[in-house]
């Protein structure tokens, strides 16, 4: 076995049974593994897809987000990116588990929103900050941390530092007047600093966007230094900052009437008399992420690792109240809707109703691990502690003047009797305090065999201190704490240098969202964390010309989050655990290397994700494709790199009741690329959605506005790159 350093196959590791540990993934350096778009490690204990930096650079547009990188994996689907690759947010699904039901980590640190564990795909970590991405289709082992190990993990790893000095500048131009400039610098090993290595990157994107009046701008800076403090101690410092500005409604998507008049890519217009005016629908997002990692050998056979981190998110949005009215309602209805109230309880006046929104949080955390190696195994003990503080608000305004608009219903505080100002939808501070402690014992009774039992305890506390709580709109100070004990057992048997078998039993965890506390009587809710029970087994083969793996899985959970409205006056909404879902299927990926740098690959999955409630019809989970399939070829020899790949997403429903009006029969998204390296200059062309498929990828079925809103695949787009190396 060897490190796949030549193809940058990763700066991450599962050599100790957990790829979230952050050293080197070890794969056999065979020809198919060096060119494969996805592969799996021989050390894995669950179904896995490793996506290398080579694939990111050779086959995808430079503006891609991490969900587009993950899409090449079996069982992964997504929707979004309706404004162009990386130019608007997307959401990924894994085996039908939705965003918020699985973890995403960066260098082993879980990150997510703090109202629920969902993610913003183009806000924190653009592709220039990612060396390798690994999709783990399962909860991992006890050392895999996060609020949502429930449905799996997408683990990203930061750009690696190198021992050699290098620099490059990338210029890209493509469809929708999309321009990207990127600078990437490697210091190489600096002798004066004991061999320290530094990597720096800066990126700027600006685009008109695929949708009407939807420009997008983004800036990112990234820096990382690896500093040896001695023969047995290494310190890594990392920081990245991102800023996005774009025009988009807060409740996005085009209605059927808008599509009929203006096409599938209608979003905003230039009419200042409508709520859909682009100047009234603006968002500014800033994020940062900082990490300090210390790794040390503290005694023979004993090592210590500590990750201290912080990250923040700030979303400031101005939006029209209901952008579906444009070209949907009658002129009289639009006139009736375009009113504001300038004084509380006063008469309505002509205006453009909208609202301001803030969602900002800061998270602090620390992950500590001690590992002890002995003759027959390795014992790992660890703990994660995290604290977050969040502020969220929404207020009604007249978009013409940004003055308050008092349109909300009258609400009285049930204790004080004080009326809530009628321009305030909510004004809420909240916090999370969570800890996870775990232990893993990797036993190696014979050569090639690893048996790893593990245990994790979770304590999760959520607290709200709201002047005006969301939904109830009056002052509330509430808190709740949930606990979970999760067992794990994984087995990996390497029968030879080319074949490994693995199996997994694991319990997954999903923390309750903040909505369970946004009710009149939170103490009446009995909701507990969702827990999944996972059974998985598979085989990995790395041969001289063939790389392949196949897996089967079965996942059960029986305490799905649910709610009902009490018939008792004053009790309102009550949250409970009710309902079951069964997930099961088969997955595989295969790459065959032909002579002269050519390889063909296929991967796919058959995914069953159905409700399983007594006395009810079993229905496929919404946004859960019944199967996925990908295939194509890659050629890399000398200065030339070529790829042609197609990913097919199978039939799915956009609502949970399998209503045929909300069904997709499936769609494909092919991509092609050609790159030629002249030495100091590299040129490339990438084509996304090669066959110009424009199918529906999701429908917001009247969830947040009166009319259904549709999202479509962005049509064919082309980008051309010029990379100058110094």
């Amino acid at each position: 076995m060897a490190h796949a350093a030549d193809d940058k196959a990763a700066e991450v590791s599962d050599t100790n049974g957990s790829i979230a540990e952050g050293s080197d993934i070890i794969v056999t350096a065979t020809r198919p593994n060096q060119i494969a778009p996805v592969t799996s490690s021989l050390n894995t204990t669950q179904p896995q897809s490793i996506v290398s930096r080579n694939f990111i650079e050779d086959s995808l547009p430079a503006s891609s987000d991490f969900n587009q990188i993950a899409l090449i994996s079996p069982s992964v689907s997504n929707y979004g990116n309706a404004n162009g690759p990386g130019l608007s947010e997307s959401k990924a699904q894994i085996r039908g588990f939705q965003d918020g039901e699985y973890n995403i980590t960066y260098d082993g640190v879980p990150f997510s929103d703090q109202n629920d564990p969902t993610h913003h795909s183009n806000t924190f970590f653009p592709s220039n900050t990612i060396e390798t991405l690994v999709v783990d289709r399962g909860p991992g082992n006890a050392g895999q941390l996060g609020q949502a190990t429930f449905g799996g993990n997408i683990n990203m790893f930061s750009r690696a530092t190198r021992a050699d000095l290098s620099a490059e500048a990338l210029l890209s131009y493509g469809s929708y007047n999309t321009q990207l400039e990127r600078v990437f610098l490697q210091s190489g090993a600096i002798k004066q600093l004991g061999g320290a290595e530094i990597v720096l990157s800066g990126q700027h994107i600006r685009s008109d966007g695929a949708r009407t009046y939807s420009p997008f701008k983004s800036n990112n800076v990234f820096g990382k230094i690896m500093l040896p403090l001695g023969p047995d101690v290494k310190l890594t410092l990392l920081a990245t900052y991102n800023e996005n500005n774009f025009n988009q409604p807060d409740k996005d998507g085009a209605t059927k009437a808008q599509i009929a008049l203006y096409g599938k890519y209608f979003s905003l217009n230039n009419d200042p008399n409508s709520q859909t005016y682009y100047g009234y629908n603006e968002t500014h997002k800033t994020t940062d992420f900082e990490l300090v990692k210390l790794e040390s050998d503290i005694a023979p056979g004993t090592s210590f690792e500590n990750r201290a981190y912080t990250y923040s998110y700030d979303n400031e949005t101005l939006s029209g109240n209901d952008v579906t009215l444009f070209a949907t309602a009658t002129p009289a209805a639009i006139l009736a809707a375009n009113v504001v109230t300038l004084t509380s309880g006063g008469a309505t006046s002509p205006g453009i109703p909208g609202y301001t929104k803030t969602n900002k949080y800061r998270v602090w955390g620390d992950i500590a691990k001690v590992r002890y190696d002995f003759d027959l195994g390795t014992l790992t003990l660890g703990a994660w502690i995290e604290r977050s503080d969040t502020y969220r608000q929404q207020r009604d305004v007249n978009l013409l003047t940004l003055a308050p608009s008092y349109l909300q219903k009258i609400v009285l505080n049930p204790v004080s009797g004080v009326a809530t100002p009628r321009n305030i939808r909510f004004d809420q501070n909240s916090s999370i305090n969570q800890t996870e402690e775990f232990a893993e014992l990797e036993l190696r009774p014979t050569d090639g065999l690893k048996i790893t039992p593990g245990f994790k305890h979770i304590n999760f506390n959520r607290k709200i201190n709201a002047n005006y709580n969301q939904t109830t709109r009056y002052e509330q100070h509430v808190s709740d704490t949930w606990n979970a004990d999760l067992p794990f057992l994984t087995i990996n048997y390497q029968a030879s240098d080319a074949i490994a078998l693995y199996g997994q039993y694991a319990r997954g965890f999903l923390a309750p969202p903040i909505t369970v506390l946004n009710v009149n009587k939170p103490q009446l809710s009995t909701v507990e964390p969702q827990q999944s029970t996972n059974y998985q087994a598979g085989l990995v083969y790395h041969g001289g010309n063939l790389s392949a793996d196949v897996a089967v899985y079965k996942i059960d959970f029986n305490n799905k989050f649910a709610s009902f409205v009490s018939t008792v006056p004053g009790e309102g909404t009550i949250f409970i655990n009710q309902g079951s879902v069964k997930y099961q299927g088969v997955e595989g990926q295969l790459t065959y290397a032909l002579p002269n740098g050519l390889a063909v690959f296929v991967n796919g999955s058959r995914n069953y994700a159905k409700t399983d409630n007594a006395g009810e019809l079993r229905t496929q989970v919404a946004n859960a494709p019944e199967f996925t399939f990908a295939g194509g070829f890659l050629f890399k020899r000398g200065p030339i790199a070529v790829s042609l790949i197609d990913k097919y997403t199978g039939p799915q429903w956009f609502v949970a009741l399998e209503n045929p009006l909300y069904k997709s029969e499936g769609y494909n998204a092919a991509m092609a690329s050609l790159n030629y390296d002249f030495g100091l200059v590299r040129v490339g062309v990438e084509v996304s959605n090669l066959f110009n498929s424009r199918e529906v990828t999701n429908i917001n079925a009247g969830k947040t506005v009166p009319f259904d809103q549709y999202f479509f695949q962005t049509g064919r787009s082309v980008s051309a790159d010029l990379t100058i190396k110094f």
Side-chain angles (χ1 to χ4, degrees), residues 239-271:
T240 184
Y241 172 84
N242 200 82
E243 177 184 31
N244 289 351
N245 292 277
F246 53 92
N247 295 82
Q248 177 181 294
D250 193 34
K251 300 178 179 67
D252 194 22
T255 67
K256 281 188 173 181
Q258 291 168 342
I259 294 166
L261 288 173
Y262 305 108
K264 295 180 176 180
Y265 305 107
F266 174 81
S267 179
L268 298 171
N269 63 19
N270 63 346
D271 179 3

Side-chain angles (χ1 to χ4, degrees), residues 7-11 51-54 56 106 127-133 156-162 184 186:
D7 65 0
K8 303 177 185 178
E11 293 295 318
V51 186
S52 72
R53 183 69 202 174
N54 259 12
I56 298 171
Y106 188 75
S127 65
N128 64 300
T129 69
I130 302 169
E131 185 77 20
T132 303
L133 182 146
M156 294 182 288
F157 298 92
S158 63
R159 295 300 299 270
T161 62
R162 306 292 185 195
F184 189 78
Q186 289 276 9

Side-chain angles (χ1 to χ4, degrees), residues 40-41 44-49 74-75 95 135-138 500-504 535-541 548-555 583-590 602-608:
S40 183
S41 173
T44 190
T45 55
Q46 63 185 349
Q48 174 190 87
S49 293
S75 288
R95 295 174 168 174
V135 179
D136 276 334
R137 297 184 295 276
L501 303 169
Y502 64 85
Q504 179 189 60
Y535 306 91
Q536 308 192 93
L539 178 148
V540 179
Y541 174 76
D549 59 87
V550 63
V552 295
Y553 68 91
K554 182 178 185 294
I555 306 171
Y583 298 83
Q584 58 192 28
V586 59
E587 304 160 322
Q589 51 197 24
L590 179 151
V602 293
N603 71 46
S605 64
R606 177 66 173 95
N607 307 106
Y608 174 101

